[in-house]
Amino acid sequence: AQSVTQLGSHVSVSEGALVLLRCNYSSSVPPYLFWYVQYPNQGLQLLLKYTTGATLVKGINGFEAEFKKSETSFHLTKPSAHMSDAAEYFCAVSGSGGGADGLTFGKGTHLIIQP
Amino acid sequence: KAGVTQTPRYLIKTRGQQVTLSCSPISGHRSVSWYQQTPGQGLQFLFEYFSETQRNKGNFPGRFSGRQFSNSRSEMNVSTLELGDSALYLCASSADQETQYFGPGTRLLVL
């Protein structure tokens, strides 16, 4: 069984400040980890993923995340927030078997950017 | 490449009716998954199809069903609609069993 916990349903940062969105997971098998972003009235867009190999992964729009097995975490960061980053962010996990098992999502974090 | 497309984008139905939603995956992708998104329950996995076979199913009642055609296009059906079925239904396709790419969703409102 797998689960994902996203700490903070809402996170507010100033434009230009560091963005940090927290994600902790539990998985009985080596996990594949994902961050998706959802803009209003749209589907989910893949930001980045970790499957194997390098634990620091870079994604689109300047986001990156680090897989820390000892902490069972996969936090998302961006050095400098932009107004266009305001959206809902979802962390997800799947078993190393991939898509057949389906993704298990966290509840989401709404990112608010203050001008 | 064109992305995942879903039709219709919006749908209004009444309790007791049934509904069919359609999903066309990215060209070359053979795996299609369906998810339900609601404010209360969040994103939940419905089922996954690969080469016309359902490989896995989430914890949903039998009123929710799906199928996949030989061209990888997929449909999901919900029978005897309930108010709680109001949701955004998302389809995702995958080529590598690893990364899923999502469509824009179909927003279903049950009155």
Side-chain angles (χ1 to χ4, degrees), chain B residues 16 27 32 39 47 60 66 79 97 101 109:
Chain B
S27 178
V32 173
F47 29 65
F60 278 82
S79 63
Q97 313 302 305
Y101 297 91
L109 176 61

Side-chain angles (χ1 to χ4, degrees), chain A:
Chain A
Q2 298 156 329
S3 67
V4 176
T5 301
Q6 290 184 240
L7 189 61
S9 59
H10 291 77
V11 170
S12 179
V13 302
S14 298
E15 190 174 19
L18 171 72
V19 174
L20 170 60
L21 304 183
R22 300 178 186 273
C23 172
N24 289 90
Y25 70 92
S26 69
S27 178
S28 56
V29 297
Y32 286 1
L33 294 158
F34 305 84
W35 276 99
Y36 286 89
V37 61
Q38 186 176 36
Y39 298 98
N41 299 314
Q42 295 188 27
L44 302 176
Q45 181 182 11
L46 179 68
L47 278 177
L48 49 77
K49 66 179 182 181
Y50 168 80
T51 54
T52 59
T55 57
L56 181 63
V57 293
K58 296 185 184 299
I60 62 171
N61 302 337
F63 285 94
E64 62 182 37
E66 185 171 13
F67 169 60
K68 292 187 176 180
K69 184 178 179 181
S70 61
E71 298 177 8
T72 61
S73 70
F74 191 57
H75 302 329
L76 182 71
T77 61
K78 181 174 180 177
S80 177
H82 191 273
M83 294 299 290
S84 62
D85 294 328
E88 191 84 14
Y89 291 79
F90 293 94
C91 181
V93 63
S94 72
S96 52
D101 297 330
L103 291 167
T104 299
F105 286 89
K107 292 292 188 185
T109 297
H110 185 63
L111 178 61
I112 301 161
I113 310 297
Q114 304 280 6

